[in-house]
Amino acid sequence: MEPSKATVNYFRKKLRQQKRRKVLMFFIGLLIGGGIAFNIYYWYPLLQKEFNFPEISQFRKNIVEAETTTTSSTTETSTQVSEEEPFKPRTDVSKVNPKYASLNQELEQTISGYNPSGTILVVKDNQVVLNNNYGKALESSNDPINSTYMIASVQKFITSILVMNLIDEGKLSLEIPLSNFYSNIPNSENITIDQMLSMTSGLFLENKLKNSQSKEESINYVVNNVTYQPTDKWRYSDVNFFLLGVIIEKISQTTYEDYFDQVIKVPLGLKNTGFYQANNINPNLIPSYGLNESGEVNQKPNTFSESAVINELGTGNMYITTGDLLVMAQAVFDGKIVSRDVVEMTYAKKEYTYPYNYKAGLYDENGHYYGHGIFRGYEPSIAFNKDASSAVIFLGNIYYKDGSNSGLAKKLFEQTSQYRVGN
């Protein structure tokens, strides 16, 4: 059935009306656009003279440059993401450099006089001089590259890296007071992040919570039992770093463990670093041993509950290898994790009412860094120069109260630093 003549005429009329409307809107748009252009070109020079506005040409140039920069930046970022190469460690810990064979022999002779137990890695000018297992560690494994140990208080160095990353992201600063996070802690309004990193805050925790069942329970206990004790000399107090661990979780809105993976482990490709879990113990974890009353090494390894590890948030609940620890240290001082400016700012010591040489998990001793820890028989001792190109990392699995482990690490570093090829 064909449409009637009246219907056809009706639709033709509608089409003509739509065409006229479009033409009308086109001319109205031209008038408005012309009016705007006229006002810009006529009035803008007068306003520029009166109010010191930028020149029209510069105004246009700024807009074009902004658009070009944005486009270029987006393209560059996209290219970087797509073409970014995997992180390559500065030192290959799997290869001992024969150039240092003479130094290797000297160090082995020194080591034999101490009778240590654990894994010792020595690096000179980014080259491996020595990397071996000794004592009870050698009985467990002859694979120093994959031998892992609880890191104890050396983890404070890692906690400091995470703090530095938050500073680098603009989410934290060294001068922010503790009261921003826990106003109920005594004197928190006068305690800064910087003071917590240097343990000059006066914070002290008499005892840790026994049989802690969860991280939340441990955090609540610390927050409600930490005290402020002013002093006229430096005092070691790891509660500072426990609280820094909690602050990391608050700001990052994730767990300390996940934030570590995100900022350090995944970007650096660390394969042998993680967090202790009693129900999922790392197969490469070298057991620690205690001493009996006669000073002899016990035959059975130490055991410890997960509650003991829960209390070590940010201060000693991690395991690691000598190689992974070296990679981390070198990456930090190369600016591969956070910017060099933030690293230098964080390790800069400020004037205080008493002298101190501890900052961000490390002691500054005669121009080089030193770190040490003790946890359930594990005793790590590390020493390296300011860029970690020369280093001694000794992860011990027997704690000796006479300080022989830390003494050995310092002696090995001294020998390594003084050695010159051809000696």
Side-chain angles (χ1 to χ4, degrees):
M1 180 179 175
E2 295 184 359
S4 65
K5 186 176 181 180
T7 302
V8 171
N9 290 335
Y10 172 79
F11 281 106
R12 285 177 177 171
K13 183 179 179 181
K14 282 289 185 183
L15 287 172
R16 287 195 297 270
Q17 289 176 344
Q18 289 178 0
K19 288 180 180 179
R20 284 197 297 268
R21 191 178 296 114
K22 288 181 180 179
V23 172
L24 179 62
M25 293 301 295
F26 173 75
F27 281 107
I28 291 174
L30 283 178
L31 288 172
I32 293 173
I36 293 173
F38 173 79
N39 278 282
I40 288 175
Y41 280 90
Y42 181 81
W43 291 106
Y44 201 93
L46 299 177
L47 292 171
Q48 191 275 331
K49 286 184 178 180
E50 184 69 24
F51 298 103
N52 197 28
F53 285 178
E55 295 288 350
I56 286 287
S57 58
Q58 184 62 42
F59 184 74
R60 289 174 181 158
K61 183 179 178 183
N62 290 343
I63 293 174
V64 172
E65 286 180 350
E67 291 176 348
T68 305
T69 302
T70 302
T71 304
S72 173
S73 177
T74 303
T75 304
E76 182 180 349
T77 302
S78 176
T79 303
Q80 288 176 346
V81 171
S82 61
E83 297 181 359
E84 186 176 358
E85 296 180 0
F87 173 80
K88 185 178 180 179
R90 198 200 306 167
T91 300
D92 184 353
V93 297
S94 68
K95 298 178 180 179
V96 177
N97 193 323
K99 180 176 72 173
Y100 295 111
S102 177
L103 175 58
N104 179 291
Q105 291 177 359
E106 288 182 25
L107 299 180
E108 288 286 15
Q109 185 174 357
T110 299
I111 291 170
S112 64
Y114 281 78
N115 192 32
S117 182
T119 300
I120 299 177
L121 170 66
V122 180
V123 173
K124 172 78 171 178
D125 296 333
N126 300 311
Q127 301 296 315
V128 175
V129 177
L130 178 152
N131 191 12
N132 292 322
N133 282 4
Y134 301 89
K136 297 292 286 186
L138 181 58
E139 293 179 14
S140 298
S141 172
N142 193 24
D143 180 13
I145 293 175
N146 294 304
S147 295
T148 66
Y149 298 77
M150 295 301 292
I151 196 174
S153 289
V154 173
Q155 185 180 340
K156 294 179 178 68
F157 170 52
I158 297 173
T159 299
S160 301
I161 298 172
L162 299 182
V163 169
M164 284 187 269
N165 192 69
L166 291 173
I167 294 172
D168 215 17
E169 293 177 336
K171 299 176 181 178
L172 188 64
S173 78
L174 293 174
E175 302 309 318
I176 286 181
L178 176 59
S179 57
N180 279 27
F181 308 98
Y182 290 105
S183 57
N184 61 317
I185 291 179
N187 201 45
S188 59
E189 68 278 7
N190 298 314
I191 296 172
T192 65
I193 297 297
D194 189 82
Q195 289 174 322
M196 295 173 72
L197 285 167
S198 59
M199 294 190 186
T200 56
S201 66
L203 294 175
F204 183 73
L205 185 67
E206 187 69 32
N207 297 299
K208 294 183 178 181
L209 179 63
K210 295 180 179 180
N211 302 319
S212 178
Q213 299 300 307
S214 68
K215 182 191 294 185
E216 290 71 24
E217 184 181 11
S218 184
I219 292 172
N220 289 333
Y221 174 83
V222 169
V223 171
N224 291 311
N225 288 275
V226 64
T227 61
Y228 169 69
Q229 299 179 10
T231 179
D232 58 357
K233 62 180 180 179
W234 187 82
R235 181 182 187 182
Y236 187 92
S237 179
D238 61 357
V239 71
N240 288 281
F241 280 80
F242 181 95
L243 289 171
L244 285 171
V246 179
I247 290 171
I248 288 168
E249 293 196 332
K250 276 180 169 288
I251 297 176
S252 67
Q253 297 185 342
T254 186
T255 64
Y256 178 102
E257 295 80 6
D258 286 346
Y259 194 59
F260 167 79
D261 289 351
Q262 172 191 329
V263 174
I264 300 176
K265 184 174 182 176
V266 173
L268 299 187
L270 304 182
K271 304 297 184 184
N272 296 301
T273 300
F275 297 86
Y276 181 88
Q277 293 177 306
N279 60 352
N280 186 24
I281 298 176
N282 183 279
N284 295 319
L285 182 65
I286 301 296
S288 66
Y289 293 84
L291 304 176
N292 59 28
E293 294 180 356
S294 302
E296 299 173 339
V297 179
N298 293 328
Q299 294 304 307
K300 290 185 177 180
N302 293 331
T303 59
F304 49 90
S305 65
E306 190 157 7
S307 65
V309 180
I310 290 173
N311 288 330
E312 299 296 333
L313 171 65
T315 64
N317 65 337
M318 295 182 68
Y319 61 80
I320 201 168
T321 61
T322 55
D324 278 5
L325 186 50
L326 176 70
V327 167
M328 207 181 308
Q330 291 183 339
V332 169
F333 294 103
D334 282 346
K336 300 294 185 181
I337 303 176
V338 297
S339 69
R340 283 282 308 163
D341 289 344
V342 170
V343 174
E344 292 173 3
M345 176 180 66
T346 302
Y347 278 99
K349 294 191 291 293
K350 299 182 179 179
E351 291 187 7
Y352 204 63
T353 54
Y354 50 79
Y356 65 93
N357 68 339
Y358 181 91
K359 190 72 182 291
L362 299 172
Y363 297 89
D364 190 339
E365 297 189 349
N366 301 318
H368 70 269
Y369 290 119
Y370 167 73
H372 179 255
I374 301 169
F375 177 76
R376 300 298 195 274
Y378 292 100
E379 186 181 4
S381 297
I382 62 174
F384 51 88
N385 58 1
K386 289 299 177 80
D387 66 352
S389 59
S390 293
V392 172
I393 300 178
F394 174 19
L395 301 183
N397 65 330
I398 298 178
Y399 165 55
Y400 294 101
K401 293 183 179 180
D402 62 0
S404 58
N405 283 350
S406 59
L408 173 58
K410 291 180 179 180
K411 177 63 176 177
L412 295 176
F413 182 76
E414 180 184 2
Q415 287 181 264
T416 302
S417 301
Q418 294 175 353
Y419 180 84
R420 299 292 180 269
V421 176
N423 282 8

